Amino acid sequence: MKFESKLLRGFLELAPKEDIRYYLNGVHVKGNRIEVTNGHYCFVGHQENDVEEKIFSLIGSKIPQKAVETEIVKTTCEELGDTYIAIHRDNFKRPVGSNVVEFRDGNFPDIDKAVAGDFKECSQSEIRIQSCFLGLPAKVFGKDANMMTMTLNEKGVAKLSFEEKLSGNITGYVMPFRAK
């Protein structure tokens, strides 16, 4: 499995770390989609190559900033058996770091079902969204995620669409906030 390191780095940053729903504590990949959610927000990105369905996280240090490509490879060791390692490479395909990969079992939520509906320009006078989630894209993806368009569906889900500078064709969704 190969990923653009910047995309994977951002999605791992967005993934919950200690959610009681253990299957959310990682990145979900299926086909050419990469997804992450904590139940309050979710982000969906796309990559060039298709991969089989997996939920995983990386153990150890973060993906190096020099890395442009990350490949997950299977290694076999007599003492440990089959182990998966993420190898991070720079522009010249030289390794610049690695992590052990931890896969998780579980049923990752169907993002398409959770956010289904027609998204339209925001015309409501009052929208209730937890503001901490609106700053996540800029925090994680940097200046490439500074400009976004927000639209809503009939369920109150906010869709965050980013300008094309953000690689991976990323779309974010923030679930509505329900207050009494």
Side-chain angles (χ1 to χ4, degrees), residues 36-134:
V36 65
T37 186
N38 73 351
H40 300 287
Y41 64 79
C42 58
F43 286 84
V44 178
H46 296 85
Q47 55 186 16
E48 291 181 18
N49 55 330
D50 284 354
V51 296
E52 62 182 289
E53 185 170 11
K54 298 276 186 198
I55 301 171
F56 68 90
S57 61
L58 302 183
I59 299 172
S61 60
K62 295 184 177 187
I63 298 174
Q65 289 297 322
K66 294 181 196 175
V68 295
E69 176 185 270
T70 297
E71 182 178 14
I72 296 178
V73 295
K74 179 179 177 181
T75 61
T76 304
C77 170
E78 283 185 28
E79 297 161 2
L80 300 174
D82 291 344
T83 305
Y84 289 83
I85 297 179
I87 301 172
H88 314 295
R89 294 189 177 91
D90 64 10
N91 284 327
F92 302 104
K93 306 289 184 199
R94 298 177 300 205
V96 292
S98 63
N99 295 84
V100 174
V101 178
E102 180 179 70
F103 289 104
R104 291 184 168 68
D105 294 326
N107 293 324
F108 199 82
D110 184 345
I111 304 277
D112 292 331
K113 185 177 178 183
V115 299
D118 293 332
F119 287 90
K120 303 173 189 135
E121 287 293 320
C122 180
S123 61
Q124 296 177 344
S125 60
E126 186 174 308
I127 303 166
R128 297 184 67 89
I129 295 175
Q130 294 182 22
S131 60
C132 60
F133 298 136
L134 294 178

Side-chain angles (χ1 to χ4, degrees), residues 6-8 10-11 14 34 42-46 137 140-141 145 159-163 166-173:
K6 185 176 183 180
L7 182 66
L8 185 58
F11 274 65
L14 289 166
I34 180 169
C42 58
F43 286 84
V44 178
H46 296 85
V140 173
F141 298 110
K159 179 180 179 181
L160 311 175
S161 302
F162 303 96
E163 292 189 354
L166 194 58
S167 62
N169 192 20
I170 298 170
T171 303
Y173 300 93

